[in-house]
Amino acid sequence: MLRNKKVPSMVKDPQLIKVRRAQMVKGAVRLFIDKGFHRTTTREIAKEAGFSIGTLYEYIGAKEDILYLVCDDIYLEVSKRLKKQLSKEGSALERLKLAIHSYFQIVDDMSDEVLVMYQEVKALPKESLQYVLQKEKEMASILEEIIRECVEANELNVKGDEVNLLAHNILVQGQMWTFRRWALRKQYTLEQYIDWQTDLLLKGKG
Protein backbone atom coordinates (compact mmCIF):
# COMPACT_ATOMS: atom_id res chain seq x y z
CA MET A 1 0.00 0.00 0.00
CA LEU A 2 1.27 3.47 -0.87
CA ARG A 3 1.85 5.74 2.09
CA ASN A 4 0.72 9.32 2.35
CA LYS A 5 3.47 11.54 0.99
CA LYS A 6 5.09 13.60 3.74
CA VAL A 7 5.53 17.19 2.56
CA PRO A 8 8.57 18.68 4.31
CA SER A 9 8.14 21.59 6.72
CA MET A 10 10.58 23.56 8.84
CA VAL A 11 7.70 24.62 11.10
CA LYS A 12 6.65 22.27 13.93
CA ASP A 13 3.25 23.74 14.86
CA PRO A 14 0.64 21.50 13.12
CA GLN A 15 -2.12 24.12 13.29
CA LEU A 16 0.10 26.83 11.79
CA ILE A 17 1.19 24.44 9.05
CA LYS A 18 -2.46 23.71 8.25
CA VAL A 19 -3.38 27.41 8.07
CA ARG A 20 -0.36 28.46 5.98
CA ARG A 21 -0.71 25.58 3.56
CA ALA A 22 -4.41 26.33 3.09
CA GLN A 23 -3.49 29.93 2.16
CA MET A 24 -0.80 28.61 -0.16
CA VAL A 25 -3.14 26.18 -1.91
CA LYS A 26 -5.86 28.80 -2.34
CA GLY A 27 -3.44 31.25 -3.96
CA ALA A 28 -1.77 28.58 -6.09
CA VAL A 29 -5.05 27.25 -7.48
CA ARG A 30 -5.99 30.68 -8.80
CA LEU A 31 -2.61 31.01 -10.50
CA PHE A 32 -2.63 27.46 -11.90
CA ILE A 33 -6.03 28.08 -13.50
CA ASP A 34 -4.86 31.36 -15.07
CA LYS A 35 -1.32 30.41 -16.07
CA GLY A 36 -0.92 26.67 -15.69
CA PHE A 37 1.36 24.84 -13.28
CA HIS A 38 4.60 25.11 -15.21
CA ARG A 39 4.31 28.84 -15.97
CA THR A 40 3.55 29.75 -12.35
CA THR A 41 6.55 30.51 -10.14
CA THR A 42 6.85 29.87 -6.43
CA ARG A 43 7.48 33.59 -5.96
CA GLU A 44 4.09 34.33 -7.54
CA ILE A 45 2.45 31.73 -5.32
CA ALA A 46 4.00 33.28 -2.21
CA LYS A 47 2.81 36.74 -3.22
CA GLU A 48 -0.71 35.49 -3.97
CA ALA A 49 -0.81 33.73 -0.60
CA GLY A 50 0.32 36.88 1.19
CA PHE A 51 3.78 36.01 2.42
CA SER A 52 7.43 35.97 1.30
CA ILE A 53 9.17 33.33 -0.77
CA GLY A 54 11.27 32.49 2.29
CA THR A 55 8.16 31.84 4.36
CA LEU A 56 6.72 29.66 1.60
CA TYR A 57 9.73 27.35 1.71
CA GLU A 58 9.29 26.93 5.45
CA TYR A 59 6.14 24.91 4.68
CA ILE A 60 7.02 23.01 1.47
CA GLY A 61 10.09 21.64 -0.26
CA ALA A 62 9.18 22.30 -3.92
CA LYS A 63 6.42 23.71 -6.10
CA GLU A 64 5.20 20.17 -6.85
CA ASP A 65 4.35 19.81 -3.15
CA ILE A 66 1.62 22.42 -3.53
CA LEU A 67 -0.02 20.46 -6.34
CA TYR A 68 0.21 17.33 -4.21
CA LEU A 69 -1.50 19.16 -1.32
CA VAL A 70 -4.31 20.24 -3.66
CA CYS A 71 -4.89 16.63 -4.72
CA ASP A 72 -4.69 15.28 -1.19
CA ASP A 73 -7.14 17.86 0.20
CA ILE A 74 -9.74 16.77 -2.35
CA TYR A 75 -9.38 13.07 -1.64
CA LEU A 76 -9.40 13.50 2.13
CA GLU A 77 -12.64 15.49 1.97
CA VAL A 78 -14.29 13.07 -0.46
CA SER A 79 -13.31 10.00 1.59
CA LYS A 80 -14.49 11.60 4.83
CA ARG A 81 -17.93 12.45 3.47
CA LEU A 82 -18.48 9.19 1.56
CA LYS A 83 -17.47 6.99 4.50
CA LYS A 84 -20.18 8.64 6.59
CA GLN A 85 -22.75 6.92 4.37
CA LEU A 86 -21.35 3.48 5.28
CA SER A 87 -22.44 3.78 8.89
CA LYS A 88 -25.69 5.72 8.52
CA GLU A 89 -29.14 4.27 9.02
CA GLY A 90 -31.69 3.89 6.25
CA SER A 91 -31.83 1.69 3.19
CA ALA A 92 -28.69 1.01 1.18
CA LEU A 93 -30.19 2.76 -1.85
CA GLU A 94 -30.96 5.86 0.21
CA ARG A 95 -27.36 5.91 1.43
CA LEU A 96 -26.05 5.50 -2.13
CA LYS A 97 -28.11 8.48 -3.25
CA LEU A 98 -26.82 10.49 -0.29
CA ALA A 99 -23.26 9.45 -1.20
CA ILE A 100 -23.77 10.66 -4.77
CA HIS A 101 -25.19 13.93 -3.48
CA SER A 102 -22.28 14.40 -1.06
CA TYR A 103 -19.70 13.71 -3.74
CA PHE A 104 -21.28 16.09 -6.26
CA GLN A 105 -21.50 18.75 -3.55
CA ILE A 106 -17.78 18.36 -2.80
CA VAL A 107 -16.96 18.75 -6.49
CA ASP A 108 -18.96 21.97 -6.51
CA ASP A 109 -17.38 23.24 -3.27
CA MET A 110 -13.87 22.47 -4.55
CA SER A 111 -14.45 22.98 -8.27
CA ASP A 112 -11.31 25.06 -8.86
CA GLU A 113 -9.16 22.52 -7.01
CA VAL A 114 -10.71 19.60 -8.94
CA LEU A 115 -10.09 21.39 -12.24
CA VAL A 116 -6.45 22.08 -11.38
CA MET A 117 -5.87 18.56 -10.11
CA TYR A 118 -6.96 16.86 -13.32
CA GLN A 119 -5.31 19.41 -15.57
CA GLU A 120 -1.95 19.41 -13.84
CA VAL A 121 -1.63 16.05 -12.05
CA LYS A 122 0.77 14.86 -14.76
CA ALA A 123 3.31 17.35 -13.38
CA LEU A 124 3.63 15.40 -10.14
CA PRO A 125 6.71 13.20 -9.55
CA LYS A 126 6.08 9.51 -10.26
CA GLU A 127 5.71 8.49 -6.60
CA SER A 128 3.19 11.23 -5.86
CA LEU A 129 1.29 10.50 -9.07
CA GLN A 130 0.96 6.86 -8.04
CA TYR A 131 -0.39 7.99 -4.68
CA VAL A 132 -3.01 10.22 -6.34
CA LEU A 133 -4.11 7.42 -8.67
CA GLN A 134 -4.37 5.07 -5.69
CA LYS A 135 -6.61 7.59 -3.93
CA GLU A 136 -8.85 7.66 -7.00
CA LYS A 137 -9.22 3.88 -6.73
CA GLU A 138 -10.00 4.18 -3.03
CA MET A 139 -12.82 6.65 -3.73
CA ALA A 140 -14.29 4.21 -6.24
CA SER A 141 -13.99 1.36 -3.73
CA ILE A 142 -16.02 3.28 -1.12
CA LEU A 143 -18.81 3.75 -3.67
CA GLU A 144 -18.50 0.08 -4.68
CA GLU A 145 -19.08 -0.97 -1.08
CA ILE A 146 -22.32 1.01 -0.89
CA ILE A 147 -23.43 -0.28 -4.31
CA ARG A 148 -22.82 -3.90 -3.21
CA GLU A 149 -24.94 -3.29 -0.11
CA CYS A 150 -27.72 -2.16 -2.46
CA VAL A 151 -27.30 -5.34 -4.52
CA GLU A 152 -27.36 -7.56 -1.42
CA ALA A 153 -30.54 -5.81 -0.27
CA ASN A 154 -32.11 -6.38 -3.74
CA GLU A 155 -32.40 -2.61 -4.20
CA LEU A 156 -30.15 -2.50 -7.27
CA ASN A 157 -29.78 -4.94 -10.15
CA VAL A 158 -26.05 -4.62 -10.83
CA LYS A 159 -23.82 -7.62 -11.47
CA GLY A 160 -20.11 -8.43 -11.48
CA ASP A 161 -17.89 -5.81 -13.06
CA GLU A 162 -20.89 -3.49 -13.43
CA VAL A 163 -20.42 -2.56 -9.77
CA ASN A 164 -16.95 -1.14 -10.46
CA LEU A 165 -18.15 0.56 -13.65
CA LEU A 166 -21.08 2.22 -11.87
CA ALA A 167 -18.73 3.53 -9.16
CA HIS A 168 -16.44 5.06 -11.79
CA ASN A 169 -19.41 6.48 -13.69
CA ILE A 170 -20.51 8.29 -10.52
CA LEU A 171 -17.02 9.77 -10.10
CA VAL A 172 -16.84 10.91 -13.73
CA GLN A 173 -20.33 12.45 -13.78
CA GLY A 174 -19.47 14.41 -10.65
CA GLN A 175 -16.24 15.65 -12.21
CA MET A 176 -18.13 16.71 -15.33
CA TRP A 177 -19.83 19.41 -13.24
CA THR A 178 -16.39 21.03 -13.05
CA PHE A 179 -15.01 20.25 -16.52
CA ARG A 180 -18.17 21.42 -18.32
CA ARG A 181 -19.15 24.11 -15.85
CA TRP A 182 -18.91 26.81 -18.52
CA ALA A 183 -21.99 25.23 -20.11
CA LEU A 184 -23.77 23.23 -17.41
CA ARG A 185 -24.04 26.01 -14.83
CA LYS A 186 -25.87 28.18 -17.36
CA GLN A 187 -28.58 25.55 -17.75
CA TYR A 188 -28.87 23.77 -14.40
CA THR A 189 -28.70 24.43 -10.70
CA LEU A 190 -26.50 22.07 -8.72
CA GLU A 191 -29.56 20.36 -7.22
CA GLN A 192 -31.09 19.82 -10.67
CA TYR A 193 -27.82 18.38 -11.92
CA ILE A 194 -27.52 16.03 -8.94
CA ASP A 195 -31.14 14.84 -9.21
CA TRP A 196 -31.02 14.23 -12.96
CA GLN A 197 -27.61 12.57 -12.92
CA THR A 198 -28.65 10.32 -10.03
CA ASP A 199 -31.73 9.25 -12.00
CA LEU A 200 -29.63 8.57 -15.10
CA LEU A 201 -26.94 6.66 -13.17
CA LEU A 202 -29.46 4.43 -11.41
CA LYS A 203 -32.12 4.19 -14.16
CA GLY A 204 -33.04 0.63 -15.00
CA LYS A 205 -30.98 -0.74 -12.12
CA GLY A 206 -33.76 -0.94 -9.61
Side-chain angles (χ1 to χ4, degrees):
M1 181 179 290
L2 293 172
R3 292 185 177 182
N4 193 339
K5 173 180 165 63
K6 186 172 179 61
V7 175
S9 174
M10 297 169 61
V11 178
K12 304 303 180 184
D13 184 342
Q15 187 58 36
L16 186 57
I17 292 173
K18 183 178 180 180
V19 170
R20 288 288 184 261
R21 285 181 174 172
Q23 293 172 317
M24 200 180 302
V25 165
K26 186 175 181 180
V29 164
R30 288 193 294 264
L31 291 168
F32 292 165
I33 288 174
D34 291 341
K35 302 181 62 175
F37 175 80
H38 288 293
R39 292 179 59 198
T40 300
T41 67
T42 50
R43 191 171 298 278
E44 289 172 326
I45 293 170
K47 181 179 180 181
E48 189 74 14
F51 38 74
S52 70
I53 187 71
T55 300
L56 181 139
Y57 279 113
E58 291 179 0
Y59 295 93
I60 61 168
K63 184 171 69 170
E64 288 78 8
D65 288 339
I66 300 174
L67 185 54
Y68 170 83
L69 290 170
V70 171
C71 298
D72 208 39
D73 281 352
I74 293 169
Y75 290 129
L76 287 172
E77 188 61 28
V78 169
S79 296
K80 181 177 71 175
R81 294 200 206 179
L82 290 184
K83 284 178 180 177
K84 284 183 179 179
Q85 305 309 326
L86 295 173
S87 58
K88 281 193 173 181
E89 296 182 356
S91 73
L93 186 58
E94 288 171 343
R95 288 186 286 109
L96 176 59
K97 290 180 178 180
L98 284 172
I100 294 171
H101 191 285
S102 294
Y103 172 64
F104 281 34
Q105 183 67 62
I106 295 166
V107 172
D108 182 65
D109 292 344
M110 306 181 74
S111 60
D112 286 345
E113 289 89 343
V114 171
L115 185 63
V116 164
M117 181 180 70
Y118 284 102
Q119 283 180 338
E120 306 293 352
V121 70
K122 59 186 179 294
L124 284 171
K126 184 178 180 180
E127 182 182 351
S128 295
L129 177 58
Q130 288 177 338
Y131 173 79
V132 169
L133 295 178
Q134 180 62 34
K135 284 296 181 182
E136 187 90 3
K137 291 180 182 179
E138 289 177 11
M139 285 199 305
S141 70
I142 297 171
L143 288 168
E144 284 184 57
E145 186 173 348
I146 304 174
I147 293 167
R148 287 196 181 93
E149 290 181 4
C150 292
V151 174
E152 291 170 3
N154 294 316
E155 296 175 342
L156 273 185
N157 182 22
V158 183
K159 300 176 181 178
D161 290 342
E162 291 178 357
V163 172
N164 178 262
L165 184 59
L166 177 56
H168 282 282
N169 278 344
I170 292 169
L171 293 178
V172 170
Q173 295 307 316
Q175 292 158 4
M176 189 171 77
W177 179 247
T178 288
F179 299 148
R180 303 284 297 179
R181 63 186 183 182
W182 58 271
L184 293 173
R185 296 186 188 193
K186 293 178 181 177
Q187 293 182 267
Y188 314 109
T189 66
L190 176 62
E191 289 300 321
Q192 286 175 328
Y193 184 79
I194 292 173
D195 289 344
W196 292 346
Q197 285 290 7
T198 302
D199 288 343
L200 287 171
L201 286 161
L202 303 181
K203 188 176 183 180
K205 296 179 174 62

